[in-house]
Amino acid sequence: MPDFLLFALVGGLGVAMIAGPLGAFVVWRRMAYFGDTLAHSALLGVAMGVLFDLNVNLAVVSCCLLLALILVSLQRQHLVATDTLLGIMAHSSLSLGLVAIALLDDVRVDLMDYLFGDLLAISPTDLYWIYGGGCIVLLLIWRLWNSLLAITINEELAQVEGVPVARVRLTLMLLIGVVIAIAMKVVGILLITSLLIIPAASARRLANSPEQMAIIASLLGMIAVMLGLYASYQFDTPAGPSVVVAALIQFLLLYSLPFRRTV
Amino acid sequence: MSLVDVNNLSIIYGENSVVSNVSMQLKRGEITTLIGPNGAGKTTLIKAILGLITPSSGQISRSESLQIGYMPQKLHIDPTFPLTVERFLKTAAFSSTQDRLQALESVGAEKLLKQSVHSLSGGETQRVMLARSLLRKPDLLVLDEPAQGVDVNGQIELYNLIAQIRDRYGCAVLMISHDLHLVMAATDQVVCLNHHICCSGHPAQVSNDPSYIELFGIPGAENLAFYSHHHNHQHDRRGEIINAKTDISEIPGENHSSHCGGDH
């Protein structure tokens, strides 16, 4: 197996593993649009990274986290409905990113790589980012698991029972921001949310508990990465979209199987 | 000694005074029922008691290490969230399998243990939520319209169940209800709220009081609809009192000042 394919496989599997549990929360808490908005802002992070000569990964993580914080504070002021707010932020940050990159005339940034991912160009440094960041994310989810479930069931009930709701919710948003920054390399800005929600939605068919759903989502995501990469290598299709198509096929298969879920 | 002591509590949103000058006590072993029209501030009041809302003025003192079991008005769990009753109960507090079964048994829902929370009926959901709050060994149970979405027979059963739980666990119960006729028998204290406390008292003591009948209708009447709300004063949209008849002693049968906590 050529090196670039090995790196792509290891990187893709890592991202799919982290995306599983977070994707489950995105589905349960209906945060798909929120994820999309953060993803769109990642391009602004890329532009900032190139402009100020920072590490692009670091710039993207910071940009996602900053946007998550801005969203939370704007949401609290109830200026406009949350989905309107998300729509404004998503497309304006994407446009700002595109404009900023166009203005950087002395650097060439391959937009397609950022928009749709460049899985086959994953470097060993990217692997450190994926696995280092991923370990922190998974550890935090594991530590906060019960609180995260409690706020997903009912935030007021959780508050009465002593869960620091605002803090846990903010942590979840920041974790999603980190994962989006990490996953950008694999499927690109425009497709990241699909890697979060499609495996989680497919996992719902098979899961009888929240824990099962998180783990099955990870496994399905990892299988999708393998299938997508294989297809990409065999048929010379773009890697990121191939992974998403593989995830979609899983979803369609699972939902067309004639069995009733019990829980 | 009371578990919760509410003193001159007011909650103001912008210019709207949602709760004004409310004082009440919640005592161990007592069931307090909060009644009042929609938008009267009942839910706001209990949220303040739960500590979810900061009051604009007044105090709420809770006894030390007060354990509260809360049952929200509705539980919206997304259908994509795979949750059995058993797993749901586990989110309440550390509990053994036996604790969980016992809690379900005490609400008559032990058969539901392995079921999905998404397949429960309205009454079953309320029972399961009640069982969940019992697992926290509460000193105070706060129930926001526990009978919502439950048919009339189920409602009577549910209120009896709440009274049984009070007897068994000795906790205080604070609940919001629209069905005064149904809760009457199992209530120690009724508080009628319309932003301020219009009147409050012990239903057994005041049920023969003409003003009580005037307020809540004849006890045990076949009429199970909302009680008609005849006061000696009226409220405008913001709950301000208008047309208050200052000399209420002139109107026979309308004198409820003896148990009136309102600010008339």
Side-chain angles (χ1 to χ4, degrees):
Chain A
M1 191 190 281
D3 262 3
F4 73 90
L5 208 55
L6 183 69
F7 290 153
L9 184 65
V10 174
L13 290 177
V15 167
M17 187 171 67
I18 312 158
L22 277 174
F25 281 105
V26 171
V27 169
W28 295 332
R29 297 176 59 80
R30 306 190 174 197
M31 294 168 79
Y33 207 4
F34 171 79
D36 234 14
T37 304
L38 287 194
H40 283 55
S41 76
L43 195 64
L44 192 57
V46 172
M48 292 298 135
V50 174
L51 186 64
F52 298 112
D53 201 22
L54 296 168
N55 177 309
V56 171
N57 286 326
L58 194 66
V60 169
V61 174
S62 324
C63 196
C64 283
L65 295 188
L66 190 67
L67 196 82
L69 289 174
I70 293 173
L71 268 174
V72 171
S73 66
L74 283 180
Q75 224 175 348
R76 224 174 269 160
Q77 295 174 27
H78 299 287
L79 298 171
V80 281
T82 300
D83 62 332
T84 308
L85 182 66
L86 288 172
I88 294 171
M89 304 277 284
H91 300 108
S92 33
S93 59
L94 182 65
S95 304
L96 276 173
L98 289 167
V99 168
I101 285 175
L103 289 177
L104 302 168
D105 42 19
D106 52 332
V107 227
R108 230 187 72 78
V109 176
D110 196 342
L111 267 184
M112 286 300 271
D113 289 353
Y114 287 108
L115 292 180
F116 299 106
D118 193 9
L119 187 49
L120 299 178
I122 281 188
S123 67
T125 327
D126 293 324
L127 291 184
Y128 288 128
W129 273 94
I130 291 172
Y131 281 84
C135 278
I136 298 170
V137 169
L138 289 181
L139 194 74
L140 272 170
I141 293 181
W142 186 62
R143 292 276 317 261
L144 290 176
W145 186 255
N146 285 329
S147 303
L148 285 167
L149 290 187
I151 67 164
T152 303
I153 289 170
N154 188 301
E155 293 198 350
E156 288 187 333
L157 192 57
Q159 180 97 50
V160 170
E161 295 177 355
V163 177
V165 172
R167 220 164 64 208
V168 173
R169 195 172 40 201
L170 183 66
T171 310
L172 179 65
M173 287 177 155
L174 296 182
L175 287 177
I176 292 171
V178 172
V179 168
I180 281 170
I182 292 173
M184 191 180 69
K185 204 74 185 179
V186 177
V187 284
I189 287 163
L190 297 181
L191 300 177
I192 286 172
T193 328
S194 62
L195 201 62
L196 285 169
I197 61 176
I198 301 178
S202 308
R204 176 64 182 102
R205 256 321 246 180
L206 304 169
N208 288 323
S209 71
E211 291 77 13
Q212 277 181 16
M213 184 155 150
I215 292 169
I216 294 173
S218 286
L219 293 176
L220 288 176
M222 290 162 93
I223 294 170
V225 164
M226 289 192 273
L227 293 175
L229 262 182
Y230 175 77
S232 173
Y233 192 61
Q234 275 302 321
F235 312 115
D236 198 23
T237 52
S242 304
V243 170
V244 176
V245 170
L248 172 71
I249 292 171
Q250 283 177 343
F251 175 84
L252 293 175
L253 274 177
L254 281 168
Y255 275 81
S256 56
L257 289 180
F259 64 84
R260 275 183 50 144
R261 71 180 190 209
T262 50
V263 175
Chain B
M1 215 208 93
S2 50
L3 290 172
V4 175
D5 210 323
V6 179
N7 207 341
N8 271 325
L9 180 82
S10 293
I11 296 163
I12 298 160
Y13 288 142
E15 291 187 356
N16 290 338
S17 175
V18 182
V19 172
S20 67
N21 279 319
V22 168
S23 298
M24 62 193 285
Q25 278 92 42
L26 302 173
K27 296 194 178 80
R28 194 173 280 284
E30 259 190 27
I31 297 181
T32 305
T33 303
L34 216 50
I35 59 166
N38 286 326
K42 304 184 296 289
T43 299
T44 309
L45 175 59
I46 64 163
K47 282 186 180 170
I49 291 174
L50 289 167
L52 294 170
I53 293 176
T54 317
S56 312
S57 67
Q59 296 90 40
I60 301 170
S61 38
R62 304 173 184 87
S63 72
E64 255 177 77
S65 68
L66 177 75
Q67 270 288 348
I68 299 179
Y70 172 47
M71 189 166 139
Q73 203 173 90
K74 265 203 174 136
L75 198 63
H76 289 290
I77 299 180
D78 198 272
T80 57
F81 194 61
L83 198 64
T84 59
V85 169
E86 186 173 26
R87 186 68 185 77
F88 177 59
L89 294 180
K90 277 188 194 169
T91 61
F94 176 77
S95 58
S96 66
T97 314
Q98 205 194 340
D99 290 339
R100 292 191 288 272
L101 252 179
Q102 212 166 33
L104 279 181
E105 268 166 23
S106 62
V107 299
E110 62 276 18
K111 280 184 193 144
L112 303 177
L113 186 70
K114 300 287 177 195
Q115 265 200 39
S116 161
V117 292
H118 304 295
S119 67
L120 302 180
S121 71
E124 286 170 343
T125 307
Q126 305 302 77
R127 280 163 193 265
V128 168
M129 287 213 280
L130 205 51
R132 186 184 177 284
S133 55
L134 291 179
L135 281 173
R136 296 181 60 79
K137 303 188 173 56
D139 307 302
L140 168 65
L141 263 182
V142 179
L143 316 169
D144 192 349
E145 293 194 37
Q148 212 185 40
V150 180
D151 64 64
V152 173
N153 287 329
Q155 287 184 20
I156 296 169
E157 267 178 49
L158 195 66
Y159 288 126
N160 286 337
L161 184 65
I162 291 165
Q164 278 169 29
I165 284 169
R166 183 267 318 263
D167 295 340
R168 190 161 157 186
Y169 295 84
C171 52
V173 178
L174 170 64
M175 63 178 167
I176 292 178
S177 174
H178 279 302
D179 329 279
L180 189 82
H181 300 289
L182 301 179
V183 287
M184 262 246 343
T187 296
D188 301 295
Q189 190 190 191
V190 177
V191 175
C192 173
L193 190 76
N194 195 357
H195 303 297
H196 63 280
I197 294 182
C198 290
C199 65
S200 68
H202 195 290
Q205 279 173 0
V206 298
S207 60
N208 292 324
D209 189 312
S211 66
Y212 179 82
I213 295 166
E214 186 73 29
L215 279 167
F216 304 120
I218 297 155
E222 300 80 0
N223 170 21
L224 287 170
F226 293 143
Y227 64 92
S228 48
H229 210 84
H230 302 299
H231 285 278
N232 62 338
H233 59 264
Q234 290 176 318
H235 297 269
D236 67 13
R237 276 184 302 127
R238 301 217 320 274
E240 304 292 330
I241 300 158
I242 50 173
N243 299 337
K245 291 172 181 123
T246 39
D247 196 0
I248 50 175
S249 57
E250 280 182 16
I251 308 148
E254 282 244 311
N255 182 1
H256 68 279
S257 57
S258 55
H259 51 272
C260 184
D263 203 8
H264 302 166

